[in-house]
Amino acid sequence: MHDSPSSDAAFTTIRQALAGEHAVGDRLEIRGWVRTRRDSKAGFSFLSIYDGSCFDAIQAVAPGELPNYQDAVLKITTGCSVIVRGTLAESPGKGQSFEIQADEVEVVGWVDDPETYPMAAKRHTMEHLRQHAHLRPRTNIIGAVTRVRHTLAQAVHRFYHQNGFYWINTPIITGNDAEGAGEMFRVSTLDLANLPRTADGAVDFEQDFFGKETHLTVSGQLNVECYCLALSKVYTFGPTFRAENSNTSRHLAEFWMIEPEIAFADLVATADLAEDFLKYIFKAVLDERPDDMAFFAKWVDKGCIDRLEKFVESSFERMEYRDAIKILEGASKKAKFEFPVHFGADLQSEHERYLCEQHVGRPVVLMNYPKDIKAFYMRLNDDDETVAAMDVLAPGIGEIIGGSQREERLEVLDQRLATMDLPAEDYGWYRDLRRYGTVPHAGFGLGFERTIIYATGIDNIREAIPFPRVPRNADF
RNA sequence: UCCUCGGUAGCUCAAUGGUAGAGCAAUCGGCUGUUAACCGAUGGGUUGGGGGUUCAAGUCCCUCCCGAGGAGCCA
């Protein structure tokens, strides 16, 4: 980036200035937003300024001799944008090693009506921040989440690239009738007030933009399998959409998902991949964002750093669904489950929590679920009773990963479609993958925002994405 | 969709059916380097909307809206 031509001071980010990348005595220019102004008894002011380049703000000391001190500096409030030029100095005060001795303070943008500025320099409730989603990135916590999210995303791509995976951009608009993962949002250009009808009165989607019904994708998996059976190791990383009326701290209507898919691989291989992958991206957060993680450990979740360090060092607990049921049956009296446990039942939140929080105390990989509670594409095991599915359960969150080995045998896939009452003709191209050079393959889906929750300890998924979409709310 | 809790000053919260308050923020003033600075003063309200009970409603009842937590669904 080019320095400002208007000044002899070198433009620097606050991260660079605080990291000692400039010498004491250098004349620097910093650009950012004011978090607080404190006036000294001696007739000068301290400005705490952040620019997002790191967690910490830098302190600028504005002397009373500045020509605009009375008219401008003393009128600065939280949220004003400023350009400060001055000399980098060692700070005599506590809380920072360096500060800027300002010789110029330029207010670029004032705060209109400071009393009602929603992001005052104080603790706010998360509900309040959500109602001002356009301003909340100015807070410490959302700034920190944003940097961690970026670091995780970069680490995702780096991990897969370094391991020979190709990033496949699967479509966001899908014409698949059944991706098999929940309610879908309709995509249409038809005039809702004047819908075209067929002879029998149904909506005539042949007149719609794509000439058929289309929706927003709920998963890139079926599409990415096509590329897996040609490029061997692939992944998707992009937005997905669920029109479920879910009102919880773990669900979004629009969220990002990472879905790797590997050829010539079985369930164990995908569980191994999930473990290596999660360890890699969490280690990246520990290595690259210690400042933000220290903030989360201090104000949000005391154990979050410790938890990630243990996660990176220890191995996942692997457990058969069958064995999990036995453990839960044995614990059901003491744990007082609301819902009964038996083979064939899907596990409730309380059961998943017991397994990973009480019984094991760290993430658990559950494998080989009963076929009746899992999707059609999961590979039937030899016992004819279970499928090669796995879930990774994380303490405090529940299911963070869902994956499986895919059914690669056409006749078994067709049987599964038939038993589940799914019309084979809707899966033409998906069945073709089994007709032309099929191979065993497997993959999983990781909810990106749930990963962010786990890393930071924030307790609501609506803080893990810049502009959360949930039922009845698509503001901003 | 279901269950529970909530909506009072810009923010966070008080207020037995009986005169709507505090802290922070803001504004003004004071104070010899402050760290969410400190001290003093000032301004700030259709108590989410509508209806009802009552001499009297922030408070009780009905209804709608909005928010949070949990469940289900899942990532």
Side-chain angles (χ1 to χ4, degrees):
Chain A
M1 282 176 51
H2 299 287
D3 286 351
S4 164
S6 64
S7 166
D8 61 323
F11 168 65
T12 183
T13 65
I14 291 167
R15 185 193 65 76
Q16 292 170 319
L18 292 178
E21 294 186 13
H22 294 274
V24 167
D26 282 359
R27 191 152 183 282
L28 302 178
E29 172 179 313
I30 58 165
R31 307 165 184 169
W33 293 263
V34 173
R35 178 146 287 132
T36 59
R37 188 196 90 223
R38 295 181 296 275
D39 300 325
S40 156
K41 309 165 199 170
F44 54 94
S45 298
F46 301 98
L47 299 174
S48 182
I49 300 165
Y50 64 93
D51 67 0
S53 61
C54 58
F55 179 83
D56 286 318
I58 196 167
Q59 173 165 288
V61 184
E65 292 73 34
L66 291 178
N68 64 345
Y69 186 75
Q70 288 294 329
D71 293 338
V73 174
L74 281 181
K75 291 188 163 56
I76 288 173
T77 56
T78 299
C80 289
S81 52
V82 293
I83 295 175
V84 173
R85 301 182 190 92
T87 309
L88 188 69
E90 286 179 22
S91 178
K94 289 176 183 168
Q96 66 276 323
S97 45
F98 297 107
E99 64 186 21
I100 299 274
Q101 291 288 344
D103 52 56
E104 253 183 288
V105 174
E106 180 186 334
V107 180
V108 178
W110 292 98
V111 166
D112 179 45
D113 190 10
E115 182 177 359
T116 58
Y117 179 60
M119 296 295 122
K122 54 177 277 188
R123 291 198 84 169
H124 288 100
T125 59
M126 291 302 120
E127 295 79 33
H128 177 72
L129 298 189
R130 276 172 222 151
Q131 281 158 13
H132 303 275
H134 57 313
L135 298 172
R136 70 176 186 167
R138 301 176 179 210
T139 61
N140 280 330
I141 189 167
I142 299 299
V145 170
T146 303
R147 285 182 293 270
V148 167
R149 183 183 170 106
H150 167 83
T151 297
L152 280 167
Q154 292 292 323
V156 166
H157 285 303
R158 209 164 54 236
F159 173 85
Y160 287 119
H161 178 68
Q162 288 174 1
N163 285 282
F165 285 68
Y166 296 107
W167 179 27
I168 310 302
N169 303 122
T170 50
I172 288 168
I173 299 172
T174 178
N176 296 344
D177 287 343
E179 291 181 339
E183 293 295 312
M184 303 171 92
F185 289 101
R186 180 179 303 287
V187 174
S188 175
T189 55
L190 293 178
D191 180 2
L192 290 180
N194 187 20
L195 289 170
R197 300 282 176 178
T198 59
D200 59 359
V203 175
D204 184 6
F205 285 105
E206 283 190 16
Q207 295 190 41
D208 205 345
F209 186 89
F210 294 105
K212 62 184 292 193
E213 279 193 84
T214 50
H215 299 88
L216 294 177
T217 184
V218 294
S219 164
Q221 181 202 314
L222 302 189
N223 288 291
V224 89
E225 282 187 47
C226 306
Y227 276 72
C228 176
L229 296 194
L231 297 169
S232 299
K233 295 198 282 188
V234 297
Y235 69 106
T236 73
F237 183 9
T240 48
F241 308 86
R242 306 272 167 98
E244 303 284 356
N245 191 9
S246 297
N247 290 287
T248 83
S249 56
R250 306 178 307 283
H251 289 85
L252 292 165
E254 175 182 274
F255 65 100
W256 285 57
M257 189 152 62
I258 297 142
E259 295 174 286
E261 192 76 25
I262 42 180
F264 301 98
D266 60 10
L267 187 67
V268 172
T270 197
D272 289 345
L273 176 67
E275 181 167 351
D276 292 345
F277 167 58
L278 286 174
K279 285 179 178 176
Y280 180 89
I281 61 174
F282 286 146
K283 184 162 191 313
V285 171
L286 288 169
D287 290 346
E288 297 169 31
R289 297 264 42 112
D291 55 347
D292 293 317
M293 290 307 297
F295 171 81
F296 292 120
K298 184 174 181 187
W299 295 104
V300 176
D301 178 3
K302 280 192 168 48
C304 66
I305 294 176
D306 200 41
R307 187 173 63 229
L308 284 191
E309 285 173 344
K310 281 195 181 123
F311 190 105
V312 168
E313 288 159 11
S314 62
S315 62
F316 285 17
E317 179 81 10
R318 311 285 175 104
M319 193 183 288
E320 292 286 317
Y321 167 89
R322 248 174 238 290
D323 297 330
I325 293 295
K326 285 176 193 155
I327 290 165
L328 291 167
E329 281 172 344
S332 63
K333 273 191 180 172
K334 197 173 60 181
K336 290 178 181 165
F337 294 133
E338 186 184 346
F339 296 93
V341 189
H342 58 86
F343 186 91
D346 209 353
L347 298 182
Q348 306 291 317
S349 286
E350 58 178 349
H351 304 140
E352 297 181 345
R353 288 196 161 212
Y354 178 86
L355 284 173
C356 64
E357 290 170 16
Q358 309 290 320
H359 186 74
V360 177
R362 59 198 159 91
V364 177
V365 186
L366 277 184
M367 300 195 284
N368 298 315
Y369 284 77
K371 62 178 179 182
D372 293 337
I373 59 172
K374 288 294 180 182
F376 72 92
Y377 52 75
M378 297 183 178
R379 191 181 195 276
L380 190 62
N381 287 324
D382 291 344
D383 60 12
D384 202 32
E385 193 173 45
T386 60
V387 289
M390 65 141 190
D391 282 354
V392 179
L393 311 178
I397 301 170
E399 187 177 340
I400 190 172
I401 280 179
S404 66
Q405 183 174 344
R406 320 307 187 189
E407 183 55 74
E408 86 281 11
R409 300 161 296 185
L410 183 63
E411 65 282 4
V412 183
L413 183 69
D414 281 347
Q415 275 172 20
R416 289 277 285 157
L417 286 171
T419 3
M420 298 178 98
D421 234 7
L422 300 169
E425 57 268 28
D426 286 353
Y427 298 89
W429 58 263
Y430 190 70
R431 290 176 70 253
D432 274 358
L433 300 178
R434 279 73 183 164
R435 297 173 61 209
Y436 308 129
T438 190
V439 296
H441 60 290
F444 63 80
L446 170 71
F448 189 47
E449 286 76 18
R450 289 187 180 175
T451 310
I452 293 168
I453 290 179
Y454 187 76
T456 59
I458 58 172
D459 52 20
N460 196 308
I461 201 163
R462 290 165 207 182
E463 273 67 72
I465 190 166
F467 297 98
R469 270 76 177 94
V470 295
R472 313 190 63 81
N473 189 349
D475 292 341
F476 305 101

